[in-house]
């Protein structure tokens, strides 16, 4: 459920930004040079693609789990050992 909520939030923000830039640039036709409108639209689309790629990486990427071994688990610091004994 949490992953679905996060994905829905990201997708909602992306859709909102794309719709907003398309409406905004459509209303600015004739007032602003066409190149500026293309740059604005292109920037939002590139940001949307980057956001989707980051979301994909978070959802399906390798989290890089460390495997336990004697080298990375021992020796246990004295303060931690005392707290574990309680």
């Amino acid at each position: 459920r949490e992953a679905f909520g996060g994905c829905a939030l990201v997708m909602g923000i992306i859709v909102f930004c794309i719709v907003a830039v398309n409406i905004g640039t459509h209303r600015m036709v004739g007032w602003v040079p066409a190149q500026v409108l293309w740059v604005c639209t292109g920037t939002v689309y590139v940001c949307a693609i980057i956001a989707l790629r980051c979301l994909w990486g978070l959802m399906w990427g390798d989290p890089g789990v460390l495997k336990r071994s004697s080298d990375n688990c021992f020796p246990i610091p004295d303060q931690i050992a005392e707290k574990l004994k309680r």
Side-chain angles (χ1 to χ4, degrees):
R1 278 179 42 184
E2 188 173 338
F4 176 77
C7 289
L9 177 66
V10 171
M11 294 300 292
I13 292 170
I14 289 171
V15 168
F16 173 79
C17 290
I18 288 175
V19 168
V21 79
N22 283 320
I23 290 172
T25 55
H26 180 70
R27 290 178 182 233
M28 289 185 210
V29 171
W31 293 10
V32 178
Q35 293 86 358
V36 173
L37 299 178
W38 280 108
V39 168
C40 291
T41 304
T43 302
V44 170
Y45 276 87
V46 168
C47 288
I49 291 168
I50 291 170
L52 288 172
R53 174 63 180 104
C54 290
L55 179 64
W56 182 84
L58 285 171
M59 294 301 297
W60 292 284
D62 180 18
V65 177
L66 295 175
K67 295 187 173 54
R68 290 183 178 220
S69 69
S70 296
D71 293 335
N72 63 13
C73 290
F74 296 104
I76 298 174
D78 294 334
Q79 293 175 339
I80 304 298
E82 288 178 25
K83 292 191 182 219
L84 288 174
K85 288 179 185 177
R86 291 185 200 175

